[in-house]
Amino acid sequence: MPVLTDKRRLLSPKIEYDAEVEHYRLNLEQEIKEVMADLRHNEMMFNLEIEPDLVEQRIYERQALRCRYRFLIGEARRLGLNAILTEHA
């Protein structure tokens, strides 16, 4: 396994560098960014809704997005991806 340099200190020292983990990190980071953008959009639309049924829909959508965000952060934590956790937590 290649040794992780100080410049690329993305993983916890307890986890060895792995090209597959690095590839997964990029996908994970992109998914987290997308969920955060979706949460911002949901909040904006929630604030604009006046129809009670659509307000309720926005609430359920927000809950689903929060669950997805918690899952992704948990995956980052499980893999020891410190850079993602400090940037997005």
Side-chain angles (χ1 to χ4, degrees):
M1 300 247 161
V3 176
L4 194 60
T5 64
D6 287 337
K7 285 195 269 184
R8 297 183 59 210
R9 186 43 108 202
L10 300 172
L11 301 174
S12 166
K14 297 177 185 175
I15 298 177
E16 292 184 41
Y17 177 80
D18 184 352
E20 185 176 335
V21 170
E22 179 63 18
H23 175 73
Y24 188 60
R25 179 195 71 80
L26 296 173
N27 293 337
L28 192 60
E29 189 168 14
Q30 182 61 34
E31 281 190 64
I32 290 172
K33 287 178 182 178
E34 288 173 10
V35 168
M36 291 175 70
D38 289 344
L39 279 165
R40 284 189 297 274
H41 180 262
N42 174 271
E43 183 179 353
M44 180 187 68
M45 295 305 293
F46 176 82
N47 291 333
L48 296 173
E49 289 296 352
I50 56 173
E51 181 65 36
D53 288 337
L54 295 178
V55 169
E56 185 176 0
Q57 180 265 330
R58 295 290 175 194
I59 292 169
Y60 285 117
E61 183 181 20
R62 179 176 31 193
Q63 287 300 103
L65 289 167
R66 285 180 177 174
C67 288
R68 179 75 180 153
Y69 176 79
R70 281 193 305 271
F71 168 78
L72 293 171
I73 292 297
E75 283 294 293
R77 188 171 287 122
R78 182 180 68 79
L79 291 172
L81 299 173
N82 295 331
I84 290 177
L85 294 172
T86 56
E87 185 178 330
H88 299 288

